[in-house]
Amino acid sequence: MTPIDFLAGLHSARRQDFAPLCLKNKPFGYLRRDHIPLLQELGFPLKNKNALLQWQAPPTVAERSQQLAAINAELLARGVIGGWRDELLAVVSPEEAEPLALVERCSAAFWGIRAQGVHLTATSAGKMWLARRSPSKSTEPNRLDQLAAGGVAAGMGIRATLMKEAAEEAGIGAGLMRAARPTGVLSYCQASDAGVRRDTIYNFDVELPPDFQPHNGDGEVAEFLLLDWHEAWERWQEFKANSLAVLLHWRLRQGLLDADDPDYLHYCRLLHSDLWE
């Protein structure tokens, strides 16, 4: 396996395996086709109309959220979803300014809804800080990650999430984080046993003082490493796939991969995809 093969796994979803899930003819999620009978068995109100799966949803955000929560409880009990976090995500549609509903984060892949996250690439004196995820993490334990990263919960902004994760995961105070700058996004559409992960990651960079020492406050980091970027990239097999994509994004922005490299275009294409947008 090569880094390209590894990163290609982020884009493993196939359009034919999923059905658009709509509210009032507007898609907001994508269901695995073999999960549709399960939802019907559980009493989730679906109707086929105009070749689209229509959610016959209640009229209010609170009622819709309650209906999704009831279904998710059944899915958790059956082992279809796991890693319950008691953290809500906003269910959004590109055409709507307000959320359609709120849903438990661990169910995002089952419903195929768009989720957002932040990743902080922190450098210091020419090297890069990385974090190894705790062995107790419910997803991808022991894998290498950026110094701080996390999902954007309902009601929180991108910058607020970044500040929160930096403080909790690496002990970076607000004073240092004021210098963090947004550097773009990457996206992917990854098939999973639960469904499809449709994630957008907001990337940020920050330069930390040479004497900075990270410390973890939420128990989610096993160790911190300070490496030059060559060594970080050579250890690509230890990374979470999306965290390796963030490292690749950083390399491209720094001009560390030449445009004449035969893999340059392929790498660039691996940073963005969505089957339905």
Side-chain angles (χ1 to χ4, degrees), residues 126-150:
K127 293 190 175 183
M128 177 180 294
W129 280 108
L130 298 173
R132 187 177 300 281
R133 293 162 66 83
S134 166
S136 63
K137 290 283 287 182
S138 61
T139 57
E140 305 200 64
N142 296 313
R143 289 284 181 173
L144 289 182
D145 207 341
Q146 272 67 50
L147 184 58

Side-chain angles (χ1 to χ4, degrees), residues 1-8 233 236-237 244 263 266-267:
M1 180 181 285
T2 68
I4 287 178
D5 299 326
F6 187 54
L7 290 167
W233 185 255
W236 60 268
Q237 291 177 312
L244 186 67
D263 291 327
H266 201 154
Y267 274 129

Side-chain angles (χ1 to χ4, degrees), residues 10-22 25-36 51-53 92-95 108-115 187-192 194-200 272-277:
L10 290 172
H11 310 284
S12 57
R14 303 184 307 166
R15 183 189 290 265
Q16 62 265 34
D17 294 336
F18 299 89
L21 180 60
C22 305
N25 295 314
K26 296 175 181 176
F28 65 88
Y30 296 86
L31 292 175
R32 260 179 44 177
R33 293 188 184 276
D34 60 347
H35 281 162
I36 296 171
L52 297 173
L53 275 177
V92 297
S93 169
E95 294 85 2
F110 179 87
W111 299 103
I113 63 172
R114 170 66 65 194
S187 61
Y188 53 89
C189 203
Q190 183 182 30
S192 72
V196 58
R197 291 184 60 185
R198 299 175 57 236
D199 293 353
T200 298
H272 296 284
S273 75
D274 192 296
L275 296 181
W276 300 280
E277 293 179 359

Side-chain angles (χ1 to χ4, degrees), residues 5-255:
D5 299 326
F6 187 54
L7 290 167
L10 290 172
H11 310 284
S12 57
R14 303 184 307 166
R15 183 189 290 265
Q16 62 265 34
D17 294 336
F18 299 89
L21 180 60
C22 305
L23 181 61
K24 298 179 181 178
N25 295 314
K26 296 175 181 176
F28 65 88
Y30 296 86
L31 292 175
R32 260 179 44 177
R33 293 188 184 276
D34 60 347
H35 281 162
I36 296 171
L38 171 60
L39 283 177
Q40 292 170 331
E41 176 191 336
L42 295 175
F44 188 70
L46 286 173
K47 183 177 180 181
N48 279 301
K49 183 180 178 183
N50 301 327
L52 297 173
L53 275 177
Q54 301 286 344
W55 178 21
Q56 308 299 296
T60 69
V61 171
E63 290 173 308
R64 294 170 194 157
S65 302
Q66 186 176 21
Q67 189 175 84
L68 291 172
I71 295 294
N72 281 337
E74 289 289 340
L75 296 175
L76 180 68
R78 294 181 181 221
V80 179
I81 61 175
W84 197 274
R85 304 180 187 212
D86 284 323
E87 182 179 315
L88 296 176
L89 296 183
V91 180
V92 297
S93 169
E95 294 85 2
E96 299 291 335
E98 298 299 321
L100 304 177
L102 302 179
V103 70
E104 159 62 32
R105 178 180 170 187
C106 79
S107 71
F110 179 87
W111 299 103
I113 63 172
R114 170 66 65 194
Q116 297 178 324
V118 297
H119 279 237
L120 178 68
T121 299
T123 52
S124 180
K127 293 190 175 183
M128 177 180 294
W129 280 108
L130 298 173
R132 187 177 300 281
R133 293 162 66 83
S134 166
S136 63
K137 290 283 287 182
S138 61
T139 57
E140 305 200 64
N142 296 313
R143 289 284 181 173
L144 289 182
D145 207 341
Q146 272 67 50
L147 184 58
V152 179
M156 286 197 74
I158 303 299
R159 175 71 69 166
T161 302
L162 178 74
M163 301 291 280
K164 170 181 173 291
E165 297 294 340
E168 292 178 352
E169 296 192 349
I172 310 175
L176 290 176
M177 284 302 297
R178 276 194 284 271
R181 58 189 182 89
T183 58
V185 302
L186 60 88
S187 61
Y188 53 89
C189 203
Q190 183 182 30
S192 72
D193 290 341
V196 58
R197 291 184 60 185
R198 299 175 57 236
D199 293 353
T200 298
I201 293 178
Y202 289 77
N203 291 329
F204 289 82
D205 287 357
V206 69
E207 177 70 19
L208 297 173
D211 60 350
F212 176 80
Q213 289 294 323
H215 60 271
N216 180 245
D218 60 7
E220 296 188 359
V221 176
E223 66 171 333
F224 295 104
L225 300 88
L226 185 61
L227 307 175
D228 64 51
W229 76 264
H230 291 95
E231 184 178 358
W233 185 255
E234 287 171 0
R235 297 174 70 163
W236 60 268
Q237 291 177 312
E238 298 179 52
F239 276 81
K240 279 200 312 162
N242 63 358
S243 300
L244 186 67
V246 172
L247 178 56
L248 172 61
H249 187 265
W250 183 86
R251 284 186 65 193
L252 290 168
R253 288 187 285 101
Q254 300 299 316

